[in-house]
Amino acid sequence: MNGEQMVHADGEALKGHIKDDDLVMVDFWATWCAPCRAMAPMLDRLATEFPSLRIVKVDAEKHKQLLGDYDVRSLPTLQVYRAGQRVDQLMGKVPYEMMRRAVQSVS
């Protein structure tokens, strides 16, 4: 996986990635969230399968103000953006195939 393909971001950086990158998955997570940790290897696998996908990880504990701005009601939450527009949102621990379909449907 490309080191630039998966990045950590705060509010301003997140806005930039959504605006500037064609295909983005935002992962709202927290260190205390067991389902978030369980999904991390699946995100690595997804990044390998879709080289054009940028995965932006947002630590919900460090950036609580973003949760309301991005309509995050539970962790983990994955949001898929295409050309700056949110096209999908997955809440809770989801199977790999659901993550894959969310990206594949817009790639």
Side-chain angles (χ1 to χ4, degrees):
M1 171 183 26
N2 180 340
E4 294 296 313
Q5 192 175 358
M6 189 174 296
V7 297
H8 292 265
D10 61 11
E12 287 306 310
L14 177 57
K15 284 181 194 175
H17 286 296
I18 289 171
K19 183 175 104 354
D20 296 338
D21 296 320
D22 190 43
L23 181 59
V24 177
M25 177 176 277
V26 181
D27 174 25
F28 291 93
W29 66 283
T31 56
W32 50 262
C33 171
C36 299
R37 291 191 310 270
M39 286 176 50
M42 291 189 282
L43 290 170
D44 289 339
R45 180 177 166 197
L46 198 66
T48 300
E49 189 171 344
F50 294 93
S52 64
L53 175 67
R54 166 86 47 137
I55 298 175
V56 181
K57 298 182 71 64
V58 176
D59 185 333
E61 283 296 307
K62 290 181 181 174
H63 306 290
K64 289 179 183 177
Q65 76 283 0
L66 296 178
L67 303 182
D69 294 346
Y70 287 88
D71 194 29
V72 175
R73 290 173 258 144
S74 66
L75 296 178
T77 291
L78 300 173
Q79 295 179 344
V80 181
Y81 291 83
R82 176 76 169 175
Q85 299 297 312
R86 186 166 76 188
V87 294
D88 207 346
Q89 177 167 291
L90 307 172
M91 293 190 301
K93 185 179 178 200
V94 296
Y96 179 76
E97 276 306 311
M98 187 178 283
M99 293 168 44
R100 187 179 181 281
R101 278 194 304 269
V103 173
Q104 191 172 34
S105 70
V106 294
S107 61

